[in-house]
Structure formats: structure tokens, C-alpha cells
Amino acid sequence: MDFDQPLPRELKAVDSASLFRLEERACDLGLSQRLDPAWVQANAAPDGTHYLWPALWHGLPHRPDVPRQLRCELLIILHAGDRVVSLLDVLPDDFTPLSRVTSREEGMQVSQLLDHAPSVREWLLREGEGSGQL
């Protein structure tokens, strides 16, 4: 893939199983931005729809064996209906086949949530769980 190309401007919707797989892949590759897959599996709403929005291209120059990734803003729907924001590095080959959000209304709602939802760390602190969970 040509990384001089523009950043994809596609909002992607993923189910919990797909999100868990993306987090596991990021963990297995040692990518910089990811959550503990066990935390995601324990806290993400099993029937929730989660969203990825590419923010920038990211690479690991000190690890040439790892391809460049899309660093995405991630909106996660939790069991109790809370929404939290995190970052997730996703390989382009894993990002491209994900379901694209085509509804302008849904895209605008997700954009507002990304701007206003607490980070996972803020949510954990608010819930009294501390940041040691990640």
C-alpha cells in the first residue's frame, strides 16, 4: 500500500467479536495503541456496535517487520450502555474490509460521541477501578 496516499476518511462499524480480534491482533504485533483484549472482552457490550475513525498513519521505524498502521479513534459501547473512547492501531488490510458507515446521521452522532465520551482511563477512574486494569 502506498502510504503517501491520503488517510482513509471512512467511519467503520465493528461488532464486539471483530473488535476483540482487532485488539488481539494489535497486541500480538506489539502495536503502540491498543487495549488489553481481556478487558475489551469483559467490558464491551456483546451485541454492541463500535466505531473506528482513522486519525493518522503510524509506523514503527525501529521495527521494519511491522507494517505501518492506521491509528484510529475507537468508540466502544460498554455493557451498561456507557460509551468510551480509546485509540487502536489497525493494519490497512484489516481496516479495509470492515463495514463502512454510510448514514450521515449515524456518522454525525458518532463524531459527537468521539468528541465528548470519556477515555477508557477516565471511565475507569470514575468507576473506581483505577488504570491498572489496562
Side-chain angles (χ1 to χ4, degrees):
M1 178 173 260
D2 179 9
F3 291 99
D4 290 331
Q5 75 183 54
L7 193 63
R9 302 316 304 167
E10 295 180 314
L11 177 63
K12 300 288 189 157
V14 297
D15 60 23
S16 293
S18 297
L19 175 59
F20 180 69
R21 283 191 296 276
L22 290 169
E23 292 284 3
E24 274 191 320
R25 182 137 162 90
C27 188
D28 290 346
L29 291 171
L31 302 182
S32 301
Q33 292 298 320
R34 57 187 159 68
L35 295 169
D36 180 343
W39 185 90
V40 172
Q41 193 166 38
N43 289 281
D47 58 347
T49 300
H50 317 282
Y51 297 92
L52 290 167
W53 176 251
L56 57 93
W57 286 108
H58 183 262
L60 302 171
H62 63 288
R63 293 183 53 206
D65 57 313
V66 178
R68 288 183 68 179
Q69 315 97 48
L70 290 165
R71 176 154 295 164
C72 297
E73 291 181 86
L74 168 63
L75 180 67
I76 304 172
I77 310 306
L78 302 178
H79 287 289
D82 292 337
R83 294 170 175 90
V84 293
V85 175
S86 187
L87 295 173
L88 177 59
D89 289 344
V90 180
L91 298 182
D93 289 345
D94 294 334
F95 181 82
T96 301
L98 298 172
S99 297
R100 182 178 184 205
V101 173
T102 58
S103 161
R104 178 174 166 72
E105 182 179 321
E106 184 179 9
M108 295 298 290
Q109 181 182 21
V110 170
S111 175
Q112 289 177 346
L113 290 169
L114 283 168
D115 288 343
H116 296 99
S119 70
V120 171
R121 182 177 187 278
E122 291 167 336
W123 180 84
L124 286 169
L125 290 171
R126 185 181 74 210
E127 296 297 309
E129 295 181 36
S131 61
Q133 296 282 324
L134 301 173

